[in-house]
Amino acid sequence: MNDLRRLVRTIPDYPKPGIQFRDVTTLMGDAEGFKEAIAGLAQPFTDVPIDAVAGIEARGFIVGGAVADRLGCGFIPIRKKGKLPWKTIGQQYTLEYGVDIIEIHEDAIKAGERILIVDDLIATGGTAEAAAKLISRSGGLVVGAVFLVDLPELGGMDVLRRHGIATHALMAFEGH
Ligand code: AMP
């Protein structure tokens, strides 16, 4: 069993002073560590029916695609505004400074489909909460949300749990 935390590189004061950037590319680049991480993310849902993983751009695509393959389900991309080629539904969410919009293809989810949200990291939970709203508005059911890294001081997992979403992270780091 690898200590997955040791495979995550911390970059102080990136992209701005006070942020400890938790860089998961070093974990992804480690064959054993990546395999173990994907297995760990999928594990709580191996006996749960899932129709598709929804991965959030961009690192959520890498992790989410691998989790979807492991669970034997489809993959749905949730992207920043203006990137998806077909008709979309958008959801605005608040960032530290200002707002952003993520989008999903309007026909990506059929009514009643069971969807698992995957991203690399949860901080305030704003991005994942917006993803959950997009899935619900598309007629899907959010079965859970999984992340490699949680920053508990920012409370994102609590935000999702208040929506009744089963939420898991493989590791936690202090700070922002
Ligand atoms: P939030 O919406 O606040 O939960 O932010 C989550 C998104 O921002 C994820 O897609 C992360 O990739 C990115 N993110 C936020 N904080 C960090 C951090 N300290 N290190 C690396 N990525 C971060």
Side-chain angles (χ1 to χ4, degrees):
M1 181 90 179
N2 278 298
D3 181 359
L4 293 178
R5 290 175 95 251
R6 295 176 61 148
L7 295 175
V8 175
R9 172 166 52 197
T10 296
I11 306 169
D13 298 319
Y14 179 88
K16 55 188 179 188
I19 304 287
Q20 303 251 73
F21 192 85
R22 306 301 179 176
D23 174 18
V24 297
T25 64
T26 40
L27 187 160
M28 291 169 176
D30 184 282
E32 268 188 37
F34 188 53
K35 192 181 177 84
E36 192 177 313
I38 296 305
L41 291 176
Q43 198 280 325
F45 297 95
T46 45
D47 294 326
V48 178
I50 305 278
D51 293 300
V53 162
I56 305 172
E57 186 174 1
R59 290 176 291 267
F61 290 177
I62 301 162
V63 181
V67 171
D69 180 60
R70 188 166 271 259
L71 292 175
C73 68
F75 178 83
I76 297 168
I78 294 183
R79 300 205 65 180
K80 304 279 164 57
K81 185 178 169 57
K83 301 277 191 171
L84 286 167
W86 182 240
K87 294 174 192 163
T88 59
I89 305 171
Q91 180 71 45
Q92 188 172 297
Y93 61 103
T94 308
L95 301 168
E96 197 175 349
Y97 303 104
V99 294
D100 212 342
I101 295 175
I102 51 171
E103 296 179 332
I104 191 169
H105 275 149
E106 64 171 21
D107 59 356
I109 296 173
K110 294 184 200 69
E113 281 191 325
R114 298 167 57 83
I115 310 297
L116 175 66
I117 294 171
V118 177
D119 202 359
D120 67 324
L121 180 145
I122 182 161
T124 66
T127 314
E129 185 183 33
K133 287 179 180 168
L134 275 182
I135 292 162
S136 300
R137 287 172 55 206
S138 304
L141 179 72
V142 181
V143 176
V146 293
F147 306 88
L148 296 171
V149 176
D150 177 31
L151 305 182
E153 286 171 40
L154 293 168
M157 303 250 284
D158 296 330
V159 170
L160 296 185
R161 287 177 180 143
R162 281 200 287 276
H163 287 286
I165 299 169
T167 307
H168 302 274
L170 295 186
M171 59 198 125
F173 287 94
E174 61 188 21
H176 290 207

